[in-house]
Amino acid sequence: MNAFDPPNDAVEPVPPTRRERRRDRASRPWWHTAVVYQVYPRSFADSNGDGVGDIPGITARLDHLDELGVDVVWLSPVYRSPHDDNGYDISDYTDVDPAFGTLADLDELIAEAARRDIGVVMDLVVNHTSDEHPWFEESRSSTDSAKRDWYWWRDAKPGTTAGEPGAEPTNWGSFFSGSAWQLDEATGQYYLHLFSRKQPDLNWENPEVRAEIYAMMRWWLKRGVAGFRMDVINLISKRVGRDGSLEDGAPRADGWGNGFPQYVDGPRMHAFLAEMHQQVFDAFPGTYLTVGETPGVTLEQARAYTDPANREVDMVFQFEHMGLDHGVGGKFDPRPLHLPDLKANLARWQDGLAETGWNALYWNNHDQPRIVSRWGDDGEHRVVSAKTLGTVLHLHRGTPYVYQGEELGMPNAGFTSLEQYRDLESLNHAADAERLGIDPEVLLRGLAAQSRDNARTGVAWDGGPHGGFTTGEPWIGSTPGWEHTNAEAARADQGSVFHHYRRLIELRHTDPVVVDGEFALLAPEHEELWAFTRTTAEAQLVVLANLSGDELAVDLAELGLAEGAPLRDVAVASHAEAARPDGEGRLVLRPWESVVFRRAV
């Protein structure tokens, strides 16, 4: 029996019936009309008062997600882990970390979600494991280990002595600062880790590694999961050996080279994903959602990954739009967003995947700051700017992803001191900044704007202590303002961000134009107006959004919208009384107002 053969009492996969009820075109994959909600378990809901969110806490809050109307819950890792990188360093792929509960708790969550017609998608982290995974412990035990080739081991660079500066096999820098190579003193060789030194990279060239991963995936499908979000999946095929380029003729700020071209979208990526599909998903009836996290992916590569004929993944997360506010110093040196750049970028992906492939739509996730603070207005116009940012995203073509708290308009964490941060990337950046002599105030401004911890504070469920996230001391500080920005208050207020997102999701479920409509961007160079249409042979949705804190006059004729049926029927709007055109074809949008009109064509 394979180590990953499912237990006898495993839950058979039962695709949620909500998918079937909402699928109005037989040719459509169910996930075209679906909305996915990401849960970061550590920060979602704590059921036992230890300050850390857990699986029973998620189960207890499923009614919130059911009312919102989402079809899928994607869980960030809940596997057993030393938590060097908050669970993305896995030591056992088929057990639940005690911090989150038990495997029985997870089975109950899957069953309770299915009872509400919600599927559960697991986070698949197979570019690397923890250095405490038994595979790696055996691999590092000896150069003669049967699992030595399960990871990337290399000697010191020729002409150097292991351990001395510059002896690393390549000059690659890791994503989390420092070298991507760690010397193992016991065997005298280095192992590759593109992230933390406690996250050694698996060698996908080894067929035994792939076979074990595929068996593990089948084990989870047998337990009833609805698919996988695949962490940094386009890094699994690597060209290990050559130095990386020196960016702009000089090393990175920390002195290491850029190995990106050597380990992103490597030569066997498509072969590996096609094999995965054949070995895993073809063995089970029905269809499953697969989304690949693909840093650095190009539009051409995304077409290949998501082309249904290739049978690889259903969609990918691209990051181009997430870098538009990065300054010359990177993400922690943010610059103001130029709205035409953002509109153009998303429009390019809309057009590029229109005929082949599918978009994954997102503003927020566990690695990004809160969108209402990043590109909205988290002060006077917090509620309406959160609504409008949600509107423009959900009305694009693709599958929307909602990150926990986004539906409440949660802002950034508001941390003011380094001691408040917990994120490994942020703390490594702070250490680099101190070594490089960066002004502490500049450092704190960058962290306050872009740290991953902005997304990792506890979800505010009510106005009580710590927002009802926990009855104990939370593992990370709470976001200020939970007294009024919380789920209980939002559900009671029909004008809240929560109910606006609920209406956006319902519109997707009921109006085929949201899924099928051809996308056309209007006024691409306008620095405050975001306008576009979605059009089918039967109907058209017209999206008009003011992304500024001032009133904005819109002339429909200038946008090419004066012809055809009048804009009277409002499909969804940020205000109870939506702006409407006057007798001369003009309308005035209030600060951060958005309105979606539906008309026949």
Side-chain angles (χ1 to χ4, degrees), residues 36 38 72-77 79 88 120-126 128 217 225-233 281 289-295 313 315-317 319 365-367 401:
V36 182
Q38 183 189 357
V72 176
V73 171
W74 149 31
L75 296 180
S76 284
Y79 315 97
Y88 281 88
V120 174
V121 163
M122 299 294 284
D123 214 319
L124 184 74
V125 187
V126 290
H128 48 265
M217 294 172 69
V225 303
F228 298 96
R229 175 266 186 185
M230 302 176 181
D231 187 66
V232 294
I233 196 64
F281 300 107
L289 185 152
T290 57
V291 53
E293 183 195 31
T294 51
V313 294
M315 64 196 91
V316 299
F317 290 128
F319 292 86
N365 59 39
H366 63 290
D367 286 334
Y401 288 73

mmCIF file of all heavy atoms in Angstrom, residues 36 38 72-77 79 88 120-126 128 217 225-233 281 289-295 313 315-317 319 365-367 401:
data_model
loop_
_atom_site.group_PDB
_atom_site.id
_atom_site.type_symbol
_atom_site.label_atom_id
_atom_site.label_comp_id
_atom_site.label_asym_id
_atom_site.label_seq_id
_atom_site.Cartn_x
_atom_site.Cartn_y
_atom_site.Cartn_z
ATOM 1 N N VAL A 36 -14.326 32.513 -5.277
ATOM 2 C CA VAL A 36 -13.495 31.815 -4.297
ATOM 3 C C VAL A 36 -13.181 32.761 -3.146
ATOM 4 O O VAL A 36 -12.872 33.942 -3.361
ATOM 5 C CB VAL A 36 -12.188 31.317 -4.942
ATOM 6 C CG1 VAL A 36 -11.346 30.549 -3.926
ATOM 7 C CG2 VAL A 36 -12.485 30.441 -6.158
ATOM 8 N N GLN A 38 -10.644 33.184 0.090
ATOM 9 C CA GLN A 38 -9.430 32.668 0.725
ATOM 10 C C GLN A 38 -9.474 32.861 2.227
ATOM 11 O O GLN A 38 -9.717 33.960 2.726
ATOM 12 C CB GLN A 38 -8.168 33.352 0.179
ATOM 13 C CG GLN A 38 -6.893 32.756 0.801
ATOM 14 C CD GLN A 38 -5.623 33.530 0.482
ATOM 15 O OE1 GLN A 38 -5.662 34.514 -0.259
ATOM 16 N NE2 GLN A 38 -4.510 33.106 1.047
ATOM 17 N N VAL A 72 -16.519 28.537 -3.132
ATOM 18 C CA VAL A 72 -15.317 27.788 -2.781
ATOM 19 C C VAL A 72 -14.591 28.508 -1.658
ATOM 20 O O VAL A 72 -14.514 29.745 -1.647
ATOM 21 C CB VAL A 72 -14.360 27.665 -3.997
ATOM 22 C CG1 VAL A 72 -13.067 26.958 -3.605
ATOM 23 C CG2 VAL A 72 -15.031 26.937 -5.150
ATOM 24 N N VAL A 73 -14.054 27.734 -0.719
ATOM 25 C CA VAL A 73 -13.127 28.253 0.281
ATOM 26 C C VAL A 73 -11.756 27.674 0.001
ATOM 27 O O VAL A 73 -11.599 26.443 -0.063
ATOM 28 C CB VAL A 73 -13.568 27.889 1.709
ATOM 29 C CG1 VAL A 73 -12.475 28.237 2.717
ATOM 30 C CG2 VAL A 73 -14.852 28.610 2.077
ATOM 31 N N TRP A 74 -10.787 28.542 -0.219
ATOM 32 C CA TRP A 74 -9.393 28.115 -0.372
ATOM 33 C C TRP A 74 -8.707 28.313 0.975
ATOM 34 O O TRP A 74 -8.686 29.424 1.511
ATOM 35 C CB TRP A 74 -8.723 28.907 -1.498
ATOM 36 C CG TRP A 74 -7.244 29.150 -1.357
ATOM 37 C CD1 TRP A 74 -6.318 28.360 -0.749
ATOM 38 C CD2 TRP A 74 -6.514 30.292 -1.847
ATOM 39 N NE1 TRP A 74 -5.068 28.924 -0.820
ATOM 40 C CE2 TRP A 74 -5.163 30.108 -1.488
ATOM 41 C CE3 TRP A 74 -6.887 31.432 -2.555
ATOM 42 C CZ2 TRP A 74 -4.180 31.045 -1.809
ATOM 43 C CZ3 TRP A 74 -5.901 32.355 -2.875
ATOM 44 C CH2 TRP A 74 -4.562 32.165 -2.509
ATOM 45 N N LEU A 75 -8.158 27.227 1.516
ATOM 46 C CA LEU A 75 -7.446 27.277 2.790
ATOM 47 C C LEU A 75 -5.953 27.449 2.555
ATOM 48 O O LEU A 75 -5.332 26.615 1.881
ATOM 49 C CB LEU A 75 -7.654 25.990 3.585
ATOM 50 C CG LEU A 75 -9.049 25.628 4.065
ATOM 51 C CD1 LEU A 75 -8.988 24.308 4.832
ATOM 52 C CD2 LEU A 75 -9.629 26.729 4.936
ATOM 53 N N SER A 76 -5.364 28.494 3.108
ATOM 54 C CA SER A 76 -3.908 28.519 3.190
ATOM 55 C C SER A 76 -3.473 27.338 4.058
ATOM 56 O O SER A 76 -4.284 26.774 4.804
ATOM 57 C CB SER A 76 -3.434 29.850 3.773
ATOM 58 O OG SER A 76 -3.525 30.875 2.805
ATOM 59 N N PRO A 77 -2.205 26.931 4.004
ATOM 60 C CA PRO A 77 -1.820 25.629 4.566
ATOM 61 C C PRO A 77 -2.222 25.414 6.028
ATOM 62 O O PRO A 77 -2.022 26.277 6.877
ATOM 63 C CB PRO A 77 -0.295 25.648 4.430
ATOM 64 C CG PRO A 77 -0.040 26.498 3.245
ATOM 65 C CD PRO A 77 -1.067 27.576 3.325
ATOM 66 N N TYR A 79 -1.403 22.155 7.135
ATOM 67 C CA TYR A 79 -0.617 20.947 7.360
ATOM 68 C C TYR A 79 0.330 21.113 8.553
ATOM 69 O O TYR A 79 0.624 22.232 8.995
ATOM 70 C CB TYR A 79 0.219 20.621 6.124
ATOM 71 C CG TYR A 79 -0.502 20.717 4.807
ATOM 72 C CD1 TYR A 79 -0.421 21.866 4.018
ATOM 73 C CD2 TYR A 79 -1.261 19.642 4.331
ATOM 74 C CE1 TYR A 79 -1.065 21.942 2.789
ATOM 75 C CE2 TYR A 79 -1.909 19.714 3.096
ATOM 76 C CZ TYR A 79 -1.816 20.872 2.342
ATOM 77 O OH TYR A 79 -2.449 20.950 1.133
ATOM 78 N N TYR A 88 3.774 27.615 5.271
ATOM 79 C CA TYR A 88 4.224 27.310 3.911
ATOM 80 C C TYR A 88 5.534 26.523 3.922
ATOM 81 O O TYR A 88 6.169 26.335 2.886
ATOM 82 C CB TYR A 88 4.345 28.590 3.085
ATOM 83 C CG TYR A 88 2.987 29.064 2.597
ATOM 84 C CD1 TYR A 88 2.197 29.901 3.382
ATOM 85 C CD2 TYR A 88 2.469 28.633 1.383
ATOM 86 C CE1 TYR A 88 0.938 30.311 2.962
ATOM 87 C CE2 TYR A 88 1.215 29.031 0.950
ATOM 88 C CZ TYR A 88 0.456 29.874 1.744
ATOM 89 O OH TYR A 88 -0.802 30.265 1.321
ATOM 90 N N VAL A 120 -14.071 23.006 -0.745
ATOM 91 C CA VAL A 120 -12.845 23.381 -0.033
ATOM 92 C C VAL A 120 -11.647 23.061 -0.914
ATOM 93 O O VAL A 120 -11.473 21.914 -1.348
ATOM 94 C CB VAL A 120 -12.731 22.655 1.319
ATOM 95 C CG1 VAL A 120 -11.378 22.949 1.975
ATOM 96 C CG2 VAL A 120 -13.870 23.064 2.252
ATOM 97 N N VAL A 121 -10.843 24.065 -1.196
ATOM 98 C CA VAL A 121 -9.625 23.931 -1.995
ATOM 99 C C VAL A 121 -8.426 24.016 -1.073
ATOM 100 O O VAL A 121 -8.337 24.930 -0.240
ATOM 101 C CB VAL A 121 -9.566 25.034 -3.077
ATOM 102 C CG1 VAL A 121 -8.166 25.182 -3.640
ATOM 103 C CG2 VAL A 121 -10.555 24.723 -4.197
ATOM 104 N N MET A 122 -7.519 23.075 -1.206
ATOM 105 C CA MET A 122 -6.315 23.048 -0.374
ATOM 106 C C MET A 122 -5.173 23.810 -1.050
ATOM 107 O O MET A 122 -5.108 23.899 -2.279
ATOM 108 C CB MET A 122 -5.875 21.607 -0.118
ATOM 109 C CG MET A 122 -6.898 20.762 0.619
ATOM 110 S SD MET A 122 -7.177 21.310 2.318
ATOM 111 C CE MET A 122 -5.681 20.685 3.105
ATOM 112 N N ASP A 123 -4.275 24.323 -0.233
ATOM 113 C CA ASP A 123 -3.061 24.968 -0.737
ATOM 114 C C ASP A 123 -2.019 23.886 -0.965
ATOM 115 O O ASP A 123 -1.662 23.151 -0.039
ATOM 116 C CB ASP A 123 -2.553 25.997 0.278
ATOM 117 C CG ASP A 123 -1.914 27.192 -0.383
ATOM 118 O OD1 ASP A 123 -1.182 27.000 -1.365
ATOM 119 O OD2 ASP A 123 -2.141 28.324 0.079
ATOM 120 N N LEU A 124 -1.566 23.754 -2.196
ATOM 121 C CA LEU A 124 -0.590 22.738 -2.566
ATOM 122 C C LEU A 124 0.795 23.394 -2.626
ATOM 123 O O LEU A 124 1.065 24.188 -3.529
ATOM 124 C CB LEU A 124 -0.957 22.126 -3.917
ATOM 125 C CG LEU A 124 -0.095 20.976 -4.397
ATOM 126 C CD1 LEU A 124 -0.412 19.703 -3.616
ATOM 127 C CD2 LEU A 124 -0.291 20.739 -5.891
ATOM 128 N N VAL A 125 1.655 23.057 -1.681
ATOM 129 C CA VAL A 125 2.987 23.675 -1.585
ATOM 130 C C VAL A 125 4.010 22.584 -1.880
ATOM 131 O O VAL A 125 4.439 21.849 -0.989
ATOM 132 C CB VAL A 125 3.224 24.289 -0.194
ATOM 133 C CG1 VAL A 125 4.541 25.066 -0.169
ATOM 134 C CG2 VAL A 125 2.062 25.186 0.203
ATOM 135 N N VAL A 126 4.401 22.471 -3.145
ATOM 136 C CA VAL A 126 5.265 21.357 -3.543
ATOM 137 C C VAL A 126 6.512 21.812 -4.295
ATOM 138 O O VAL A 126 7.228 20.975 -4.857
ATOM 139 C CB VAL A 126 4.478 20.321 -4.380
ATOM 140 C CG1 VAL A 126 3.478 19.573 -3.501
ATOM 141 C CG2 VAL A 126 3.785 20.970 -5.567
ATOM 142 N N HIS A 128 8.734 23.208 -2.474
ATOM 143 C CA HIS A 128 9.654 23.004 -1.364
ATOM 144 C C HIS A 128 8.907 22.344 -0.209
ATOM 145 O O HIS A 128 7.673 22.316 -0.182
ATOM 146 C CB HIS A 128 10.249 24.336 -0.897
ATOM 147 C CG HIS A 128 9.220 25.415 -0.696
ATOM 148 N ND1 HIS A 128 8.912 26.338 -1.672
ATOM 149 C CD2 HIS A 128 8.393 25.694 0.348
ATOM 150 C CE1 HIS A 128 7.960 27.155 -1.232
ATOM 151 N NE2 HIS A 128 7.620 26.773 -0.006
ATOM 152 N N MET A 217 -1.740 14.090 -3.560
ATOM 153 C CA MET A 217 -2.863 14.856 -4.089
ATOM 154 C C MET A 217 -4.109 13.984 -4.232
ATOM 155 O O MET A 217 -5.226 14.408 -3.903
ATOM 156 C CB MET A 217 -2.482 15.481 -5.430
ATOM 157 C CG MET A 217 -1.391 16.542 -5.330
ATOM 158 S SD MET A 217 -0.802 17.090 -6.962
ATOM 159 C CE MET A 217 -2.254 17.969 -7.568
ATOM 160 N N VAL A 225 -11.817 17.105 -1.157
ATOM 161 C CA VAL A 225 -11.497 18.496 -1.476
ATOM 162 C C VAL A 225 -11.882 18.792 -2.924
ATOM 163 O O VAL A 225 -11.981 17.888 -3.765
ATOM 164 C CB VAL A 225 -10.014 18.832 -1.223
ATOM 165 C CG1 VAL A 225 -9.634 18.530 0.223
ATOM 166 C CG2 VAL A 225 -9.090 18.111 -2.194
ATOM 167 N N ALA A 226 -12.091 20.073 -3.219
ATOM 168 C CA ALA A 226 -12.599 20.507 -4.526
ATOM 169 C C ALA A 226 -11.494 20.933 -5.485
ATOM 170 O O ALA A 226 -11.787 21.380 -6.588
ATOM 171 C CB ALA A 226 -13.589 21.653 -4.345
ATOM 172 N N GLY A 227 -10.235 20.820 -5.070
ATOM 173 C CA GLY A 227 -9.138 21.193 -5.947
ATOM 174 C C GLY A 227 -7.966 21.740 -5.168
ATOM 175 O O GLY A 227 -7.871 21.577 -3.938
ATOM 176 N N PHE A 228 -7.068 22.431 -5.886
ATOM 177 C CA PHE A 228 -5.837 22.913 -5.279
ATOM 178 C C PHE A 228 -5.461 24.292 -5.808
ATOM 179 O O PHE A 228 -5.570 24.567 -7.005
ATOM 180 C CB PHE A 228 -4.667 21.961 -5.577
ATOM 181 C CG PHE A 228 -4.845 20.573 -5.038
ATOM 182 C CD1 PHE A 228 -5.339 19.562 -5.853
ATOM 183 C CD2 PHE A 228 -4.534 20.271 -3.727
ATOM 184 C CE1 PHE A 228 -5.511 18.284 -5.382
ATOM 185 C CE2 PHE A 228 -4.706 18.987 -3.230
ATOM 186 C CZ PHE A 228 -5.195 17.989 -4.058
ATOM 187 N N ARG A 229 -5.010 25.135 -4.910
ATOM 188 C CA ARG A 229 -4.261 26.336 -5.285
ATOM 189 C C ARG A 229 -2.799 25.946 -5.163
ATOM 190 O O ARG A 229 -2.357 25.492 -4.103
ATOM 191 C CB ARG A 229 -4.627 27.492 -4.356
ATOM 192 C CG ARG A 229 -3.812 28.768 -4.595
ATOM 193 C CD ARG A 229 -2.599 28.837 -3.675
ATOM 194 N NE ARG A 229 -1.878 30.098 -3.770
ATOM 195 C CZ ARG A 229 -0.741 30.358 -3.148
ATOM 196 N NH1 ARG A 229 -0.179 29.435 -2.375
ATOM 197 N NH2 ARG A 229 -0.155 31.518 -3.280
ATOM 198 N N MET A 230 -2.025 26.118 -6.231
ATOM 199 C CA MET A 230 -0.674 25.583 -6.310
ATOM 200 C C MET A 230 0.354 26.684 -6.082
ATOM 201 O O MET A 230 0.571 27.547 -6.931
ATOM 202 C CB MET A 230 -0.475 24.910 -7.665
ATOM 203 C CG MET A 230 -1.483 23.800 -7.927
ATOM 204 S SD MET A 230 -1.311 23.100 -9.583
ATOM 205 C CE MET A 230 -2.645 21.891 -9.560
ATOM 206 N N ASP A 231 0.979 26.635 -4.940
ATOM 207 C CA ASP A 231 1.928 27.660 -4.514
ATOM 208 C C ASP A 231 3.153 27.689 -5.433
ATOM 209 O O ASP A 231 3.750 26.642 -5.715
ATOM 210 C CB ASP A 231 2.351 27.347 -3.068
ATOM 211 C CG ASP A 231 3.203 28.438 -2.458
ATOM 212 O OD1 ASP A 231 2.691 29.549 -2.252
ATOM 213 O OD2 ASP A 231 4.390 28.161 -2.178
ATOM 214 N N VAL A 232 3.522 28.873 -5.893
ATOM 215 C CA VAL A 232 4.693 29.118 -6.774
ATOM 216 C C VAL A 232 4.961 27.933 -7.705
ATOM 217 O O VAL A 232 6.091 27.459 -7.840
ATOM 218 C CB VAL A 232 5.954 29.506 -5.973
ATOM 219 C CG1 VAL A 232 5.754 30.854 -5.286
ATOM 220 C CG2 VAL A 232 6.355 28.459 -4.934
ATOM 221 N N ILE A 233 3.926 27.481 -8.365
ATOM 222 C CA ILE A 233 4.033 26.236 -9.120
ATOM 223 C C ILE A 233 4.948 26.375 -10.331
ATOM 224 O O ILE A 233 5.539 25.379 -10.782
ATOM 225 C CB ILE A 233 2.628 25.750 -9.545
ATOM 226 C CG1 ILE A 233 2.665 24.280 -9.983
ATOM 227 C CG2 ILE A 233 2.028 26.650 -10.614
ATOM 228 C CD1 ILE A 233 3.034 23.315 -8.872
ATOM 229 N N PHE A 281 -5.880 14.072 -11.630
ATOM 230 C CA PHE A 281 -7.274 14.460 -11.857
ATOM 231 C C PHE A 281 -8.016 13.496 -12.780
ATOM 232 O O PHE A 281 -9.231 13.327 -12.649
ATOM 233 C CB PHE A 281 -7.339 15.888 -12.386
ATOM 234 C CG PHE A 281 -6.732 16.875 -11.433
ATOM 235 C CD1 PHE A 281 -5.499 17.454 -11.703
ATOM 236 C CD2 PHE A 281 -7.375 17.195 -10.250
ATOM 237 C CE1 PHE A 281 -4.918 18.334 -10.807
ATOM 238 C CE2 PHE A 281 -6.801 18.084 -9.342
ATOM 239 C CZ PHE A 281 -5.575 18.650 -9.621
ATOM 240 N N LEU A 289 -11.144 22.464 -9.323
ATOM 241 C CA LEU A 289 -10.534 23.771 -9.571
ATOM 242 C C LEU A 289 -9.038 23.690 -9.331
ATOM 243 O O LEU A 289 -8.592 23.218 -8.276
ATOM 244 C CB LEU A 289 -11.166 24.827 -8.664
ATOM 245 C CG LEU A 289 -10.730 26.284 -8.865
ATOM 246 C CD1 LEU A 289 -11.858 27.218 -8.445
ATOM 247 C CD2 LEU A 289 -9.472 26.634 -8.079
ATOM 248 N N THR A 290 -8.248 24.145 -10.296
ATOM 249 C CA THR A 290 -6.798 24.236 -10.134
ATOM 250 C C THR A 290 -6.352 25.635 -10.536
ATOM 251 O O THR A 290 -6.643 26.088 -11.633
ATOM 252 C CB THR A 290 -6.068 23.192 -10.997
ATOM 253 O OG1 THR A 290 -6.438 23.355 -12.376
ATOM 254 C CG2 THR A 290 -6.405 21.784 -10.548
ATOM 255 N N VAL A 291 -5.671 26.297 -9.624
ATOM 256 C CA VAL A 291 -5.148 27.628 -9.916
ATOM 257 C C VAL A 291 -3.686 27.658 -9.496
ATOM 258 O O VAL A 291 -3.333 27.250 -8.395
ATOM 259 C CB VAL A 291 -5.959 28.731 -9.193
ATOM 260 C CG1 VAL A 291 -6.081 28.483 -7.703
ATOM 261 C CG2 VAL A 291 -5.353 30.108 -9.459
ATOM 262 N N GLY A 292 -2.844 28.094 -10.404
ATOM 263 C CA GLY A 292 -1.418 28.141 -10.132
ATOM 264 C C GLY A 292 -0.962 29.536 -9.769
ATOM 265 O O GLY A 292 -1.267 30.499 -10.473
ATOM 266 N N GLU A 293 -0.243 29.642 -8.664
ATOM 267 C CA GLU A 293 0.451 30.898 -8.348
ATOM 268 C C GLU A 293 1.727 30.914 -9.185
ATOM 269 O O GLU A 293 2.569 30.033 -9.049
ATOM 270 C CB GLU A 293 0.786 30.981 -6.864
ATOM 271 C CG GLU A 293 1.455 32.311 -6.498
ATOM 272 C CD GLU A 293 2.110 32.296 -5.138
ATOM 273 O OE1 GLU A 293 2.577 31.223 -4.701
ATOM 274 O OE2 GLU A 293 2.173 33.364 -4.496
ATOM 275 N N THR A 294 1.865 31.941 -10.048
ATOM 276 C CA THR A 294 2.936 31.924 -11.043
ATOM 277 C C THR A 294 3.667 33.268 -11.079
ATOM 278 O O THR A 294 3.435 34.071 -11.989
ATOM 279 C CB THR A 294 2.370 31.590 -12.438
ATOM 280 O OG1 THR A 294 1.255 32.466 -12.702
ATOM 281 C CG2 THR A 294 1.891 30.154 -12.514
ATOM 282 N N PRO A 295 4.552 33.530 -10.112
ATOM 283 C CA PRO A 295 5.287 34.790 -10.137
ATOM 284 C C PRO A 295 6.109 34.939 -11.407
ATOM 285 O O PRO A 295 6.732 33.981 -11.874
ATOM 286 C CB PRO A 295 6.190 34.700 -8.895
ATOM 287 C CG PRO A 295 6.247 33.244 -8.559
ATOM 288 C CD PRO A 295 4.942 32.671 -8.981
ATOM 289 N N VAL A 313 -3.566 23.670 -15.906
ATOM 290 C CA VAL A 313 -4.301 24.297 -14.799
ATOM 291 C C VAL A 313 -5.430 25.134 -15.375
ATOM 292 O O VAL A 313 -5.403 25.535 -16.544
ATOM 293 C CB VAL A 313 -3.389 25.172 -13.910
ATOM 294 C CG1 VAL A 313 -2.363 24.328 -13.184
ATOM 295 C CG2 VAL A 313 -2.721 26.279 -14.724
ATOM 296 N N MET A 315 -6.470 28.195 -14.279
ATOM 297 C CA MET A 315 -6.156 29.628 -14.292
ATOM 298 C C MET A 315 -4.892 29.846 -13.495
ATOM 299 O O MET A 315 -4.443 28.964 -12.759
ATOM 300 C CB MET A 315 -7.317 30.444 -13.702
ATOM 301 C CG MET A 315 -7.595 30.173 -12.249
ATOM 302 S SD MET A 315 -9.217 30.780 -11.676
ATOM 303 C CE MET A 315 -10.242 29.333 -11.978
ATOM 304 N N VAL A 316 -4.293 31.026 -13.632
ATOM 305 C CA VAL A 316 -3.079 31.349 -12.880
ATOM 306 C C VAL A 316 -3.239 32.715 -12.220
ATOM 307 O O VAL A 316 -3.979 33.570 -12.690
ATOM 308 C CB VAL A 316 -1.815 31.361 -13.777
ATOM 309 C CG1 VAL A 316 -1.584 29.997 -14.396
ATOM 310 C CG2 VAL A 316 -1.896 32.442 -14.845
ATOM 311 N N PHE A 317 -2.541 32.874 -11.116
ATOM 312 C CA PHE A 317 -2.372 34.193 -10.512
ATOM 313 C C PHE A 317 -1.164 34.858 -11.157
ATOM 314 O O PHE A 317 -0.050 34.337 -11.077
ATOM 315 C CB PHE A 317 -2.134 34.090 -9.002
ATOM 316 C CG PHE A 317 -3.320 33.643 -8.211
ATOM 317 C CD1 PHE A 317 -3.215 32.587 -7.315
ATOM 318 C CD2 PHE A 317 -4.541 34.280 -8.332
ATOM 319 C CE1 PHE A 317 -4.303 32.177 -6.566
ATOM 320 C CE2 PHE A 317 -5.641 33.875 -7.596
ATOM 321 C CZ PHE A 317 -5.522 32.821 -6.707
ATOM 322 N N PHE A 319 1.123 38.565 -11.451
ATOM 323 C CA PHE A 319 1.497 39.575 -10.463
ATOM 324 C C PHE A 319 1.855 40.924 -11.074
ATOM 325 O O PHE A 319 2.306 41.822 -10.365
ATOM 326 C CB PHE A 319 2.686 39.075 -9.625
ATOM 327 C CG PHE A 319 2.338 37.920 -8.732
ATOM 328 C CD1 PHE A 319 2.397 36.620 -9.203
ATOM 329 C CD2 PHE A 319 1.937 38.128 -7.421
ATOM 330 C CE1 PHE A 319 2.069 35.552 -8.400
ATOM 331 C CE2 PHE A 319 1.602 37.071 -6.599
ATOM 332 C CZ PHE A 319 1.669 35.774 -7.088
ATOM 333 N N ASN A 365 -4.573 39.089 -1.056
ATOM 334 C CA ASN A 365 -4.345 37.734 -0.561
ATOM 335 C C ASN A 365 -3.425 37.833 0.648
ATOM 336 O O ASN A 365 -3.157 38.941 1.132
ATOM 337 C CB ASN A 365 -3.776 36.797 -1.653
ATOM 338 C CG ASN A 365 -2.458 37.264 -2.235
ATOM 339 O OD1 ASN A 365 -1.586 37.773 -1.522
ATOM 340 N ND2 ASN A 365 -2.280 37.089 -3.539
ATOM 341 N N HIS A 366 -2.960 36.718 1.135
ATOM 342 C CA HIS A 366 -2.151 36.706 2.358
ATOM 343 C C HIS A 366 -0.784 37.344 2.169
ATOM 344 O O HIS A 366 -0.084 37.590 3.163
ATOM 345 C CB HIS A 366 -1.984 35.275 2.854
ATOM 346 C CG HIS A 366 -1.243 34.397 1.888
ATOM 347 N ND1 HIS A 366 -1.778 33.998 0.676
ATOM 348 C CD2 HIS A 366 -0.003 33.852 1.934
ATOM 349 C CE1 HIS A 366 -0.905 33.256 0.029
ATOM 350 N NE2 HIS A 366 0.179 33.150 0.768
ATOM 351 N N ASP A 367 -0.382 37.614 0.923
ATOM 352 C CA ASP A 367 0.921 38.213 0.638
ATOM 353 C C ASP A 367 0.842 39.682 0.243
ATOM 354 O O ASP A 367 1.874 40.288 -0.039
ATOM 355 C CB ASP A 367 1.607 37.445 -0.502
ATOM 356 C CG ASP A 367 2.139 36.090 -0.067
ATOM 357 O OD1 ASP A 367 2.434 35.929 1.134
ATOM 358 O OD2 ASP A 367 2.250 35.195 -0.925
ATOM 359 N N TYR A 401 -11.432 36.232 -6.643
ATOM 360 C CA TYR A 401 -10.972 35.710 -5.357
ATOM 361 C C TYR A 401 -11.134 36.807 -4.315
ATOM 362 O O TYR A 401 -10.647 37.929 -4.498
ATOM 363 C CB TYR A 401 -9.510 35.272 -5.441
ATOM 364 C CG TYR A 401 -9.321 34.003 -6.234
ATOM 365 C CD1 TYR A 401 -9.454 33.995 -7.619
ATOM 366 C CD2 TYR A 401 -9.036 32.795 -5.600
ATOM 367 C CE1 TYR A 401 -9.314 32.828 -8.355
ATOM 368 C CE2 TYR A 401 -8.886 31.620 -6.332
ATOM 369 C CZ TYR A 401 -9.034 31.646 -7.702
ATOM 370 O OH TYR A 401 -8.893 30.487 -8.425
#
